[in-house]
Amino acid sequence: MTTERRDRVRRWRNRLLFSVRGRATVLTAAVSALILVLVFVLVMLLARDWATNRVARKSERTAERIAFDVSTGAQRQALTVKPDEAPLVQVVSPDGTVEAASKAAEGRPAFAQPRLKRNVLLIDERACPASLDGCVWVFGLRLRTSPWGEGVMVMAASPLPTPLDVWLLPVGTAFILAVLLALITWWTWYTLGRALVPVDRLRAELADVGARGLDRRVTVPRTEGEMQALTETVNATLARLEEASNRERRFVSDASHDLRNPIAGLYMRLEVALDEPDDYPWKPMVRAAMADVQRLSDIVMDLLELSRLDARTPATVEPVDLAELARRELALSGGQVPIETRLEPGVVVAANTVRLGRVLANLLNNAERHAESRIRVTVARDDGEAVVEVLDDGSGVPEKSRERVFERFARLPESRDRDPHGTGLGLPIAREIAEIYGGSLRVADSPRGARFVLRLPLA
């Protein structure tokens, strides 16, 4: 079985066993099957009773007609039966001797020997004599007088139907009930699917809200029912979430803007102090303070960028040649670790140059922190997409932590050791920017080190 077929089987199994629609359909089908089996058994019992009663009435009518003819002298040695009557007729004396018989019963012993010996007046029972191939229904009347003496019994017997004789009835009934079960199952699956269409539509609209922003709302169906109440509650919840998110973004944005000016002023004053000609002993402390101020400025800029990304603030979209952008960012990097490049020209995407430059800068900074001896940067096309890879030869990212590195403020132990003052915002910002332009950023497998793969749709 191919992987695609196994996945399809697994998806259908999960839909049948774990979804509301599947479980309701399976339960309905099971209950319906049980009811239809009981109906089948009841129909078979009723059919058996009807066939038995029909044969019994046939034997009774035949015996009564023969007895009447015998008592009036119309029947003598040869017993004649009509085509619609029981074919097996016997006139039996009290000692069990067959005095006369129809053509089909000639040469056969009495059908109900034990009952004759008890001198019963009426026989109406099922019998399976050894002289016959199957069971029959026997009806007998004892006559006071007859041409064969007193106390003889006129017995008529009709063969009971066997399963082979009536095979069409159970097969036909089973087929009809199977078709009915299939229709019940299909109708349940179909109607539940139609009933869950508003839920699927709500799920799709909520997914769109998650992708495009909290300012969107789901469609409210005017059904005056549960779905309308649910969608109104969802919209009210989205409104509260949007308000809370806007307050948070405004706080981060305002705080970042307010902090930028005093940080810039402080940095400028520290630079002026360092420009003093004398080599004062406090200058090393000023240089350390400048590094801290620069780091604080980077944190504020990261928070401001996150605020813009969360708000989906639009930025100018233009054709960006990734090879040229990579060369520009490589020229601006510190160059502490040798960098190998393989940049395919003409790989163009539609995005904002500044934001994509920030993505590459964050990936390069991350690689420089963890690389041992080299970094490799690749730009290429792959199946209608632009692919940028940044690979270092460091210790790599454990597989279980590959998604955690894209969480805001999350830092792995090795990252803390190499850069204790980092914020853990570079990679989350890079992934946010990639997803805004319809792409992705992930950590892929590599023989050694960390391999970050950025994919964007080609322009």
Side-chain angles (χ1 to χ4, degrees):
M1 183 182 293
T2 62
T3 303
E4 182 179 356
R5 184 174 299 176
R6 283 197 301 270
D7 292 340
R8 190 183 302 116
V9 171
R10 184 172 60 253
R11 284 196 301 270
W12 272 104
R13 182 187 60 197
N14 293 337
R15 291 186 70 184
L16 288 176
L17 298 181
F18 301 111
S19 68
V20 174
R21 184 183 185 185
R23 287 182 298 189
T25 302
V26 171
L27 181 61
T28 302
V31 174
S32 300
L34 179 60
I35 295 174
L36 292 178
V37 168
L38 295 177
V39 169
F40 177 78
V41 173
L42 180 61
V43 168
M44 291 299 100
L45 291 175
L46 292 176
R48 187 196 65 180
D49 291 344
W50 175 82
T52 302
N53 293 334
R54 183 170 176 270
V55 171
R57 287 195 301 270
K58 186 176 182 180
S59 299
E60 181 181 354
R61 289 195 304 268
T62 303
E64 289 175 348
R65 202 264 307 168
I66 296 295
F68 179 79
D69 291 348
V70 168
S71 62
T72 58
Q75 293 275 6
R76 290 291 181 181
Q77 298 296 330
L79 301 180
T80 304
V81 295
K82 298 177 181 179
D84 59 342
E85 293 181 335
L88 304 172
V89 179
Q90 292 177 336
V91 177
V92 184
S93 62
D95 60 357
T97 303
V98 178
E99 302 293 346
S102 64
K103 184 176 181 181
E106 289 179 352
R108 301 180 188 274
F111 302 139
Q113 288 280 4
R115 299 296 299 274
L116 292 172
K117 294 178 181 179
R118 293 197 294 268
N119 294 322
V120 296
L121 299 178
L122 180 68
I123 295 177
D124 189 13
E125 65 182 16
R126 180 176 180 271
C128 298
S131 59
L132 298 176
D133 295 333
C135 296
V136 294
W137 192 271
V138 180
F139 188 88
L141 293 171
R142 192 174 294 281
L143 302 180
R144 183 180 296 275
T145 60
S146 71
W148 299 278
E150 296 181 357
V152 299
M153 178 169 281
V154 176
M155 291 189 297
S158 295
L160 290 170
T162 63
L164 292 177
D165 297 329
V166 293
W167 65 270
L168 188 60
L169 177 63
V171 172
T173 304
F175 176 76
I176 293 173
L177 295 181
V179 172
L180 183 59
L181 177 61
L183 288 175
I184 292 173
T185 304
W186 173 82
W187 182 250
T188 303
W189 179 267
Y190 175 77
T191 52
L192 284 175
R194 297 295 299 172
L196 293 175
V197 164
V199 178
D200 291 337
R201 187 180 300 118
L202 175 61
R203 178 195 56 76
E205 291 186 5
L206 282 175
D208 191 56
V209 168
R212 300 192 181 187
L214 294 174
D215 58 327
R216 300 176 64 85
R217 296 293 180 266
V218 299
T219 305
V220 179
R222 298 302 174 186
T223 58
E224 304 300 333
E226 293 82 358
M227 282 305 303
Q228 180 174 342
L230 176 61
T231 52
E232 289 174 349
T233 303
V234 168
N235 282 339
T237 304
L238 289 175
R240 290 194 295 270
L241 287 174
E242 182 187 12
E243 183 181 358
S245 179
N246 287 338
R247 284 200 301 267
E248 179 185 353
R249 282 200 300 268
R250 282 196 300 270
F251 169 76
V252 173
S253 179
D254 294 344
S256 301
H257 277 291
D258 292 341
L259 287 173
R260 288 173 64 188
N261 290 333
I263 289 174
L266 178 59
Y267 191 84
M268 182 182 66
R269 288 181 176 84
L270 293 173
E271 282 186 327
V272 171
L274 286 176
D275 287 339
E276 292 293 331
D278 296 332
D279 192 10
Y280 294 109
W282 45 261
K283 282 192 175 183
M285 288 190 299
V286 173
R287 292 190 182 93
M290 285 185 64
D292 291 338
V293 171
Q294 183 60 47
R295 194 175 303 277
L296 181 59
S297 177
D298 293 340
I299 293 173
V300 170
M301 293 300 296
D302 285 342
L303 291 174
L304 186 59
E305 182 65 20
L306 281 177
S307 177
R308 294 194 188 103
L309 293 175
D310 288 340
R312 292 298 190 264
T313 303
T316 304
V317 176
E318 56 191 351
V320 180
D321 189 318
L322 292 179
E324 293 296 330
L325 182 65
R327 291 190 184 95
R328 186 161 63 246
E329 292 300 327
L330 290 172
L332 295 175
S333 65
Q336 299 176 356
V337 181
I339 300 177
E340 302 174 5
T341 61
R342 192 174 73 244
L343 309 178
E344 181 179 340
V347 181
V348 180
V349 298
N352 180 265
T353 304
V354 175
R355 284 184 170 175
L356 282 191
R358 188 180 183 89
V359 173
L360 288 175
N362 289 348
L363 294 178
L364 288 172
N365 290 337
N366 181 76
E368 287 179 355
R369 280 197 301 270
H370 296 88
E372 297 292 340
S373 59
R374 65 182 178 85
I375 298 172
R376 188 175 67 195
V377 178
T378 303
V379 175
R381 292 183 180 86
D382 181 30
D383 195 20
E385 289 183 323
V387 181
V388 179
E389 293 188 5
V390 178
L391 173 66
D392 63 67
D393 61 350
S395 58
V397 181
E399 187 172 357
K400 63 180 181 180
S401 302
R402 288 182 179 179
E403 284 301 314
R404 187 165 174 264
V405 298
F406 294 107
E407 297 176 3
R408 296 180 182 183
F409 303 105
R411 306 193 68 203
L412 300 183
E414 182 187 355
S415 179
R416 290 195 189 96
D417 295 339
R418 289 179 175 267
D419 185 10
H421 303 289
T423 61
L425 292 176
L427 293 177
I429 290 175
R431 172 174 274 191
E432 289 273 354
I433 294 174
E435 291 177 350
I436 283 177
Y437 296 112
S440 64
L441 176 63
R442 64 186 183 89
V443 182
D445 295 331
S446 64
R448 181 183 177 186
R451 177 181 166 217
F452 286 85
V453 180
L454 169 67
R455 287 181 173 269
L456 293 169
L458 286 171

